[in-house]
Each structure stands twice: as C-alpha cells, then as structure tokens.
Amino acid sequence: MSEYEAVIGLETHIQLNTTTKIFCSCKADSWFDPPNTNICPVCTGMPGVLPVLNKAVVEKGVLLAQAMHAELRPLSFFDRKNYFYPDLPKGYQISQYDMSLAFGGWMDLAMPEGYTRRVTIHKLHLEEDAGKTRNEAGVRLIDFNRCGVPLIEMVTGPDLRSADEAAQYLIRLRQLLRWLGVSEADMEKAHLRCDANVSIRLKGETHLNPKTEIKNVNSIDAVRNAIQTEIARQIREVEAGRRIAAWTLEWDEDSGTLKKMRSKETEADYRYFREPDLLPVRLDDAWRAAILADFPELPMARRERFVTQYGLPEYDAEILTSERKLSDYYEAAVKAYAGDPKKVSNWLMNEVLRMINDRDLSPDTMQLTPVYLAEIIRLVDQNAININTGKALLTRVQDSGDAPARIVEAEGLAKVSDDSAIRAVVQEVLAESPKEVESYKAGKVTLMGWFVGQVMRKMRGKADATVARTVLEELLQ
Ligand code: ZN
Ligand code: MN
C-alpha cells in the first residue's frame, strides 16, 4: 500500500473574536444564548436594512494574513454568494470573491518526525456566518444567532500528504490564532471548523486525481481519523479497479464512518456579484502600519530563538512557546533571575505550569509574578530556604500576593543550618525512638532516612538536611 500518497487540502472557517458581528452591533459570540435572542434586522436580512462593516474584523484579518505571509490588497471588495438554505435568511451570504483582503501565503509545519512541510494558502477572505438548523422530534428548527458572525475562510493548496500533517496544520493554526489574539480557536465551540479535500495518487505522480470532500469534522482527532479512513477507502476502491467519484462525505464521529451527502454546487451556481450595499475596503499605508505596529514574534521563530538564545532543549522550547503569555512569562522570569535559563524552565514547567493548569490561571495576571518566581529560585540557590520550602512558597505567593522574602521572614521559613538548634532536635528524636536507635546500632543503617525525616518533621521542613544527617551520624556512633 505504501506506493500511494495522499493529497490533502484543508478549508477552514475561523470565527474572529470581535465584540460584535461583522455588519451589525449584535454580540459576536452567542454560544451560551438561547436560540434567536442575539439577532437584529440587519443580520436576519430584513428588507431595507444596510450592513456596516466592523473595522475590527478587517484588523484581525490583516494580522492573520501577515502571519500567513499573504499579500494584502490595498483595495478589497465584498461580494454576494447566492444560494438558498433555510438558515440563510437573506438568500445570499456576504463574502469576498475575486478581490479578497489578501491572497497567497504559506505556513511551514515542523513535523515531529523532523521534516518541514510547507503549506500554501490559496484563499484568505472575510465573510459572515449563516445560522444553524437542527432536527428535534421530526421538526426542523432554525437558530439565527450565528448569522453575521465574522469569519475568515482560509483554504490551503493540496499540499498535505498525510492525516498527521493535516492534524499538525490545525494544531499550528490554532496556536497561531490564539497567539495573534484573533480567535479563541475552540473547535468544540465551532470557532474553528474544517473541511478536508482528499485524493490519492501513486508516489511520484504529480497530477491530481478526483477528490472527495469531508465535512462535519469538529475536532483535531476527528480530522485525523476521518482522513485516515477516507485514504484507506480510496486505496481499496482503486485497487479493486473502481474510480473515485467526487462525493461530499460526512464524518460520523460515533460510528467512525463516512456517509455520502448531497453533491455540491459548483462555483458558477453561486452567481457571485459585488455587494452593492458596502463600500470597498481601503487598507491604506497608515491604517496597515497602525494594525501591524505591535505585530508579535511568531511561535515558531520564538521557539527557535529559545533554543539558540537560552540553550533550551527543543522539548522545553516547544512547551514554553505553546502560548504567547507563557513564553512572555518565561522570558520575564529569565531576565529577573539573571542565571541559568534552563533552571527557570525547570521550575516553570514542573511546578508553576502545574499550578496554572490546576487552578486555570493566566500567566499574565498571576500574583506569582516572573519577578517573584526568580526571587524564590534565588532564595533556594543561596541556601536561604530548602527546595521544598521553595516549592511551597510558589502557592503561598500566588495566594497572598506577598513578596517571597517577606513570607519567609514573617513565618520563619528560613532554613536552619545552625548546628546547636538542629542538635537539640536530634537529641529529642533519639530520646523518643529507643527501638529505632537500637535497630540502627544493630546494623539497620537504612533507618538513617527515617531519622532525618523525623528531624525535618519536627522542624517543619526548615532544617538543613545535610547538617541533620551529620549530627545524627555523630550521635548514633
Ligand atoms: Zn444583528
Ligand atoms: Mn465560506
């Protein structure tokens, strides 16, 4: 079977996280609202209304286009895409056709196997969403809440060669959308929807065979499974001497199977024409420069920089750049610590990240600031507190917002290395444990750990363990 390769292109619809919809002032995100409560005459297409373009939609589109290395058009237009469907009250969708906001572009995917796949972008345009229909007890129900929700449609070239590459594209796209702050990119909430075009050919061939389109895949695992299933089906068909028909397929998550849907309209059926109710979008140099003024370093570049600048392993760099706020936090902590960047990475990945995940915190609003984290690591470095106290301090600082040094001082957490203080406790422990002392002296030296533990417990973890051990060894002689 390995003589075949898959040829996959993905069409994604990205919901932008603007406050309001694309052409009216209804809320853009109505995920939690009852049906048909977030609508107005504009987004339900009442006669006589006029759409007004939401500026923020263009600005978020510009950010994404820039990140995808696409070319921005100084002048772009909206068009009407005409079709009939119950969830489309106007009878047309306002979209962009031949003169969209941007064109071209690409994204490089660093695959876990070590190679890089370049994915080209064939289409990138702004449009409005349609409503939703669903069946309930034999009745067809329509919810217009989603009508007019701002979307970017982005279509890749047929550049992906496996289900894993398709999944990786979505993982990286989701990361990028959140990094740019243009979309929450939550597939479960339909912020990021994906259709996949799949065909196969013999390895070495360059032409494209008839493809099928898979719809209704709403998680990254579903995309991977659906494509895998379809590749296997197409290979079976071709091996049996049958031709692949250009079907539209629907992925059924529960049964893990693909079902044939309606055949699709061709482009000519949509009768695109310019939207006469909207002005062209003029993206002049000043506006464009203002939008791109704070354009961030992108995740892949930052990941590579973390490896070269801080000497981090790829693994650390990948985790620390998974989210922009986390990577900002790391860099601020490294700067404040002014020591080994790998040590900061260890504390952040092992201790702080667990706290962030457990408590659902955001790195940019934590009371445990990067400066405080650096301070705690330094206190441990300087032997002022032991490592367990340091770890406990993380949550104490997060809960109270107090400076680590102040908590150490106020609660007497500083490590006790004073020989006489420890000696007194050791004597106490030995006096209370005659049986263990006897066993130790009889040769059960593994009890040393238990003795050290008792001393630590009595001193609430503050004793210098090395000193405790030395004193114990001396007195047990
Ligand atoms: Zn509205
Ligand atoms: Mn579309």
Side-chain angles (χ1 to χ4, degrees):
M1 294 295 172
S2 61
E3 68 262 38
Y4 292 99
E5 70 174 5
V7 179
I8 303 157
L10 296 182
E11 180 180 321
T12 47
H13 281 90
I14 298 152
Q15 178 176 334
L16 299 176
N17 58 356
T18 52
T19 312
T20 55
K21 292 183 179 179
I22 184 169
F23 301 122
C24 64
S25 52
C26 294
K27 256 190 317 172
D29 196 350
S30 53
W31 182 258
F32 295 108
D33 295 337
N36 299 308
T37 57
N38 187 36
I39 53 175
C40 75
V42 174
C43 54
T44 48
M46 296 294 148
V49 298
L50 286 173
V52 177
L53 178 60
N54 180 350
K55 202 174 160 185
V57 172
V58 179
E59 292 173 343
K60 288 182 190 270
V62 169
L63 288 173
L64 180 60
Q66 180 76 10
M68 299 307 292
H69 315 91
E71 203 75 48
L72 286 157
R73 284 196 174 88
L75 197 64
S76 56
F77 296 86
F78 281 96
D79 302 277
R80 288 188 183 181
K81 180 179 180 178
N82 299 281
Y83 64 93
F84 172 80
Y85 207 69
D87 65 12
L88 189 73
K90 293 200 298 289
Y92 58 86
Q93 177 192 27
I94 304 180
S95 182
Q96 294 188 303
Y97 186 47
D98 56 335
M99 291 291 278
S100 61
L101 181 70
F103 63 96
W106 48 268
M107 182 194 233
D108 275 342
L109 297 181
M111 294 298 294
E113 292 79 7
Y115 67 92
T116 301
R117 170 73 65 206
R118 175 158 294 192
V119 186
T120 57
I121 302 303
H122 273 195
K123 257 183 13 184
L124 194 164
H125 68 251
L126 307 173
E127 64 184 25
E128 61 177 342
D129 206 351
K132 257 191 328 209
T133 64
R134 82 190 143 92
N135 288 313
E136 208 168 272
V139 182
R140 191 85 151 153
L141 299 169
I142 308 177
D143 177 7
F144 292 129
N145 279 352
R146 286 191 70 91
C147 285
V149 166
L151 303 177
I152 289 181
E153 180 180 321
M154 199 158 77
V155 182
T156 76
D159 303 320
L160 298 155
R161 291 289 169 270
S162 67
D164 283 338
E165 289 186 10
Q168 187 68 12
Y169 172 77
L170 289 174
I171 290 168
R172 293 304 179 193
L173 177 60
R174 182 176 63 182
Q175 177 189 25
L176 184 64
L177 293 168
R178 290 174 179 168
W179 192 278
L180 295 168
V182 301
S183 172
E184 305 310 311
D186 189 344
M187 286 188 92
E188 277 68 41
K189 289 187 183 166
H191 295 155
L192 178 57
R193 310 200 296 263
C194 175
D195 300 334
N197 289 303
V198 180
S199 66
I200 57 164
R201 65 186 173 198
L202 291 172
K203 271 209 173 111
E205 286 182 346
T206 51
H207 69 272
L208 296 173
N209 286 320
K211 60 177 194 249
T212 54
E213 185 178 4
I214 307 172
K215 298 224 166 240
N216 189 32
V217 270
N218 35 29
S219 73
I220 288 172
D221 283 340
V223 170
R224 192 189 278 110
N225 293 337
I227 292 175
Q228 205 88 66
T229 305
E230 176 57 7
I231 292 170
R233 185 191 70 88
Q234 289 193 13
I235 291 175
R236 277 198 311 274
E237 290 295 296
V238 170
E239 296 269 286
R242 288 189 287 269
R243 299 185 51 176
I244 303 297
W247 289 345
T248 298
L249 302 164
E250 188 179 30
W251 176 245
D252 183 51
E253 185 82 69
D254 299 329
S255 64
T257 54
L258 291 156
K259 285 185 299 199
K260 196 178 162 188
M261 289 172 79
R262 63 185 159 79
S263 62
K264 209 179 148 55
E265 294 87 353
T266 62
E267 225 162 53
D269 298 333
Y270 289 123
R271 306 277 164 162
Y272 278 98
F273 64 87
R274 287 272 184 269
E275 168 59 64
D277 290 342
L278 283 165
L279 292 165
V281 181
R282 271 174 220 285
L283 183 66
D284 59 26
D285 290 347
W287 190 18
R288 180 184 160 136
I291 298 167
L292 296 175
D294 300 317
F295 193 77
E297 180 182 30
L298 296 181
M300 198 166 171
R302 185 166 285 191
R303 187 167 71 237
E304 278 163 19
R305 184 168 62 75
F306 276 13
V307 172
T308 51
Q309 184 178 344
Y310 300 129
L312 291 184
E314 294 273 353
Y315 177 80
D316 293 40
E318 173 67 36
I319 290 176
L320 294 174
T321 58
S322 59
E323 265 181 69
R324 186 169 160 191
K325 285 171 183 169
L326 182 64
S327 66
D328 288 343
Y329 185 102
Y330 171 70
E331 288 215 272
V334 167
K335 212 171 142 203
Y337 177 58
D340 179 11
K342 173 61 178 152
K343 196 179 244 180
V344 179
S345 166
N346 291 345
W347 276 82
L348 187 46
M349 295 208 310
N350 297 329
E351 306 299 328
V352 182
L353 209 49
R354 186 188 314 133
M355 179 163 77
I356 288 175
N357 292 334
D358 286 352
R359 301 178 173 203
D360 202 15
L361 301 169
S362 178
D364 60 333
T365 54
M366 279 165 66
Q367 301 216 75
L368 175 68
T369 61
V371 170
Y372 284 163
L373 172 61
E375 197 180 318
I376 292 171
I377 304 174
R378 263 201 311 271
L379 287 170
V380 175
D381 286 351
Q382 294 159 355
N383 249 342
I385 54 173
N386 66 37
I387 186 124
N388 289 326
T389 307
K391 288 177 184 174
L393 259 185
L394 297 171
T395 42
R396 300 299 313 280
V397 172
Q398 174 58 29
D399 290 341
S400 66
D402 288 339
R406 185 194 292 186
I407 298 177
V408 169
E409 166 136 18
E411 301 187 13
L413 298 177
K415 186 152 81 178
V416 178
S417 359
D418 172 20
D419 191 283
S420 60
I422 294 176
R423 188 171 291 262
V425 178
V426 168
Q427 279 163 341
E428 218 177 291
V429 167
L430 295 182
E432 285 167 7
S433 330
K435 271 207 321 236
E436 285 79 6
V437 171
E438 203 177 308
S439 308
Y440 182 87
K441 286 186 170 161
K444 202 176 172 199
V445 290
T446 49
L447 273 171
M448 179 52 78
W450 182 84
F451 285 121
V452 174
Q454 295 304 303
V455 174
M456 289 303 243
R457 194 173 56 85
K458 276 186 184 283
M459 299 187 73
R460 292 197 299 131
K462 294 182 296 181
D464 185 319
T466 319
V467 176
R469 185 176 288 268
T470 313
V471 174
L472 274 163
E473 275 165 358
E474 183 198 322
L475 295 183
L476 280 166
Q477 283 298 313

